[in-house]
Amino acid sequence: MRLDGGQLLEIIRDVQRETEELDEHLLPRDVEEVELEKLVARPRDDVVVVGVVSAVAGEPVKHEGGRADLPGSGLGQPRHGDLRSQLWAQEAQGGVHRRESKFKFGGRIDYKLKRQDSTKTLLIKSEQLLRIEEHDFAMRPGFGAAAIPVGIDVQVESIDSISEVNMDFTMTLYLRHYWKDERLAFPSRNNQSRTFDSRLVKKIWVPDVFFVHSKRSFIHDTTMENIMLRVYPDGNILYSVRVTVTALCSMDFSSFPLDTQNCSLELESYAYNENDLMLYWKNGNDSLRTDEIVLSQFFIEHFQASSGLAFYSSTGWYNRLFINFILRRHIFFFMLQTYFPTMLMVVLSWVSFWIDRRAVPARVSLGMTTVLTMSTIITGVSSSMPQVSYVKAVDIYLWTSFLFVFLSVIEYAAVNYCTTLEEMRKMKRGKIPSTFNASQAMAFDGCFHDDDIELTPFSRLAPTLTSDPLTMPTQTPDIRLMEGTRLRRQRSVRENVDLLVSNSYMIDSYSRLAFPLSYLLFNTIYWSLYS
């Protein structure tokens, strides 16, 4: 198809008008497009005109030896030796391909593709702007000079768990680093910073801060890695990560569960000692910030930031930062689960003191029940605690309470034994009739009653009398007075035992008062020492 000059100029004007309308309403005008229009507007360069017309008609432009020919026409012959005409032809050919996407589908533009290309070009320009390929970022900034200062600030998001068995805690925090790398400085008219994600972090130098005594740690990666890099025009850098770390906390359970634990999270550079890198808190004590943290078993008294030095024999001194926090345990949970049940078991063991001493099944079953319950409580508490080699406060309370329960069982064993000896002695002395049947006396209510047996009082020590009956009335008062005075002053152990055996009910009477007072005294001393 051959066109004359008038038709070509008319087509060119239509193309220009359509281009201007699209550019004004939809997209900004590209610099290359403006240059192409300037080339098209030159009447002496037929090669450019032919190129544009060919693009509109959908026919390719052929280049052979610096010439651009339109198929089927004799146009497009540049001046020989005119290098400028050849350059115009090449630029026109590039403009043809850029314009082709706009007009090959009736003037519609693939804006999505253009945006993708612009984003890709922007990323490339950002890396070029920071001159990443021009420097060796395996070396720290200012290598060979003084140590580079790296400021740190931390915002604690949460304390996820505290384990007494493993002696550790889990914390989620935002860790921010501040330093200056002049190799990343870039010119900026409005002094605005540029923000990047983790993809650029892998191409530059960042501090190698790690957590001392950490067991596990990871950087969150939902939905992308939680890493932010912000570069300022003067080379200052902010590097922030969101990390969860499980670290060791050396706990002292001597006062458990009335204890207060002091835990710390320690930060340190792994490779750079104090001669290469200086870690410090960015804003002093204000560098450590916390959200409102609520724990189930602990109350956080306060957070504190501190710093120090750590020495390694093979590598030297390193700067170390500390995040110290004090945890005070809530006692109410252990009062409900441990202390109150223990107190009830001890008080329940005292009920046997009011049960008749001859009701053997009732008192034995009650004593064994309280002993087994105390054993279960002690086992449950021990299973939830670390196997430490020292005595804890809860152990003192539980084992002392267990001792009170155990002594109540032993008390009944003593009462029963004394009662048996007393009855055997009375039977030998004839105080109990031979026809008396002990099983019949217990047939109705399961216990003996002192009213059922006729017990006559008898003297514990019979006075030694002379053989002369005439002198006995005059000597007896003096002898009784002398013997009575001697017994009140001195009483042997055997006589005391005989007194208890003959009056076994007194053991229960004394226990009713001695056990509660002793346990009350123990609680007073215990809570005054540990609370």
Side-chain angles (χ1 to χ4, degrees):
M1 177 179 180
R2 296 182 179 276
L3 299 174
D4 55 5
Q7 293 176 344
L8 289 175
L9 292 176
E10 186 177 356
I11 293 175
I12 291 172
R13 294 190 184 96
D14 294 338
V15 170
Q16 289 178 345
R17 284 195 301 270
E18 188 175 2
T19 302
E20 291 174 356
E21 292 176 358
L22 291 174
D23 290 344
E24 291 176 357
H25 293 86
L26 298 176
L27 287 176
R29 299 164 64 89
D30 295 337
V31 176
E32 297 179 351
E33 295 174 358
V34 174
E35 295 295 333
L36 179 61
E37 292 177 358
K38 292 180 179 179
L39 294 174
V40 173
R42 298 170 186 254
R44 63 184 181 86
D45 296 328
D46 298 335
V47 61
V48 179
V49 176
V50 171
V52 176
V53 175
S54 176
V56 176
E59 299 179 0
V61 179
K62 299 179 181 180
H63 294 270
E64 294 181 1
R67 298 176 56 187
D69 298 332
L70 179 65
S73 69
L75 299 175
Q77 302 294 332
R79 302 175 182 177
H80 296 282
D82 193 351
L83 180 59
R84 186 169 56 182
S85 299
Q86 296 179 9
L87 295 176
W88 287 341
Q90 294 176 1
E91 292 178 359
Q93 178 64 19
V96 167
H97 293 289
R98 286 190 295 271
R99 291 294 183 181
E100 184 175 1
S101 62
K102 292 185 179 181
F103 299 107
K104 65 185 297 184
F105 298 106
R108 299 180 61 184
I109 303 175
D110 191 355
Y111 299 107
K112 182 178 180 181
L113 179 61
K114 184 174 181 61
R115 286 196 299 269
Q116 290 177 351
D117 292 340
S118 300
T119 305
K120 183 177 180 181
T121 304
L122 181 61
L123 288 176
I124 296 175
K125 289 183 178 179
S126 298
E127 295 182 4
Q128 292 177 353
L129 181 65
L130 299 177
R131 305 188 306 277
I132 294 179
E133 301 297 335
E134 298 180 7
H135 302 281
D136 183 11
F137 285 96
M139 310 299 293
R140 69 172 180 86
F143 178 75
I148 175 175
V150 177
I152 299 292
D153 71 42
V154 173
Q155 180 174 351
V156 180
E157 181 181 359
S158 64
I159 297 179
D160 303 323
S161 64
I162 299 174
S163 175
E164 291 88 358
V165 178
N166 299 323
M167 286 193 181
D168 58 23
F169 64 93
T170 302
M171 178 185 293
T172 300
L173 53 90
Y174 297 93
L175 178 61
R176 302 184 180 95
H177 311 69
Y178 301 86
W179 75 95
K180 185 174 183 179
D181 192 346
E182 296 180 353
R183 297 173 295 183
L184 297 177
F186 60 90
S188 177
R189 295 180 179 177
N190 50 10
N191 198 25
Q192 289 185 352
S193 61
R194 289 177 177 258
T195 304
F196 306 94
D197 55 13
S198 60
R199 288 170 288 187
L200 188 63
V201 172
K202 301 176 182 179
K203 300 180 180 181
I204 66 172
W205 182 90
V206 294
D208 59 340
V209 176
F210 78 104
F211 298 98
V212 185
H213 306 309
S214 65
K215 298 181 178 180
R216 296 173 300 275
S217 62
F218 63 92
I219 298 176
H220 292 260
D221 56 358
T222 305
T223 58
M224 290 287 293
E225 285 187 304
N226 297 169
I227 297 176
M228 186 268 288
L229 180 71
R230 181 171 296 168
V231 182
Y232 293 88
D234 57 353
N236 285 311
I237 298 174
L238 166 60
Y239 172 54
S240 176
V241 294
R242 180 170 177 257
V243 60
T244 295
V245 57
T246 301
L248 176 67
C249 179
S250 298
M251 300 182 182
D252 183 13
F253 297 105
S254 299
S255 302
F256 178 88
L258 305 169
D259 57 336
T260 300
Q261 302 297 338
N262 190 356
C263 299
S264 64
L265 184 63
E266 304 174 8
L267 295 84
E268 183 181 308
S269 174
Y270 188 82
Y272 301 98
N273 56 23
E274 63 173 355
N275 297 325
D276 293 324
L277 190 145
M278 182 183 65
L279 280 180
Y280 68 97
W281 290 110
K282 177 68 174 177
N283 300 313
N285 292 330
D286 296 335
S287 300
L288 183 60
R289 296 182 294 273
T290 59
D291 297 334
E292 185 178 356
I293 301 176
V294 179
L295 301 177
S296 59
Q297 293 190 19
F298 291 92
F299 172 75
I300 303 177
E301 291 189 351
H302 72 278
F303 279 88
Q304 182 181 3
S306 61
S307 60
L309 291 174
F311 177 74
Y312 300 91
S313 58
S314 58
T315 54
W317 293 91
Y318 291 79
N319 294 111
R320 181 175 293 185
L321 304 181
F322 300 88
I323 303 174
N324 302 310
F325 55 98
I326 298 177
L327 302 173
R328 182 166 54 86
R329 196 184 305 272
H330 294 301
I331 188 60
F332 188 71
F333 171 80
F334 295 94
M335 292 295 295
L336 293 179
Q337 298 295 323
T338 303
Y339 286 99
F340 285 159
T342 301
M343 293 178 184
L344 292 178
M345 289 300 104
V346 175
V347 173
L348 183 62
S349 67
W350 301 340
V351 177
S352 63
F353 302 152
W354 278 266
I355 300 177
D356 192 276
R357 62 182 184 275
R358 298 179 182 89
V360 178
R363 296 189 67 164
V364 170
S365 61
L366 179 61
M368 295 305 299
T369 300
T370 54
V371 168
L372 293 176
T373 304
M374 285 299 305
S375 300
T376 304
I377 295 175
I378 293 174
T379 304
V381 173
S382 300
S383 62
S384 61
M385 293 297 299
Q387 306 299 322
V388 295
S389 59
Y390 49 85
V391 180
K392 301 181 290 294
V394 67
D395 294 335
I396 295 176
Y397 193 89
L398 290 178
W399 283 103
T400 304
S401 300
F402 182 82
L403 180 62
F404 274 90
V405 174
F406 180 76
L407 290 177
S408 66
V409 178
I410 299 300
E411 185 270 348
Y412 175 66
V415 170
N416 184 268
Y417 178 74
C418 293
T419 303
T420 304
L421 290 179
E422 181 182 2
E423 293 176 353
M424 291 178 62
R425 288 182 180 182
K426 291 178 181 180
M427 291 181 64
K428 288 181 180 180
R429 295 178 182 181
K431 300 298 180 180
I432 300 179
S434 59
T435 59
F436 177 76
N437 189 356
S439 61
Q440 293 179 358
M442 298 180 63
F444 296 99
D445 55 1
C447 61
F448 286 109
H449 296 278
D450 295 336
D451 297 337
D452 299 335
I453 304 175
E454 182 181 358
L455 300 177
T456 58
F458 59 92
S459 59
R460 292 186 295 273
L461 295 174
T464 303
L465 303 177
T466 60
S467 59
D468 190 359
L470 298 177
T471 60
M472 184 173 58
T474 60
Q475 294 178 356
T476 300
D478 297 336
I479 293 174
R480 290 179 179 177
L481 180 60
M482 293 175 61
E483 293 294 336
T485 304
R486 182 177 61 82
L487 290 177
R488 285 194 297 269
R489 290 178 181 177
Q490 295 180 358
R491 180 177 295 175
S492 64
V493 177
R494 184 176 180 180
E495 291 174 351
N496 291 329
V497 173
D498 292 339
L499 180 62
L500 290 176
V501 170
S502 59
N503 301 278
S504 58
Y505 65 92
M506 295 176 59
I507 301 177
D508 281 342
S509 299
Y510 291 148
S511 298
R512 295 169 188 172
L513 183 62
F515 273 75
L517 291 179
S518 300
Y519 195 68
L520 180 62
L521 178 62
F522 163 71
N523 277 273
T524 303
I525 297 175
Y526 178 87
W527 294 108
S528 62
L529 288 177
Y530 290 103
S531 62

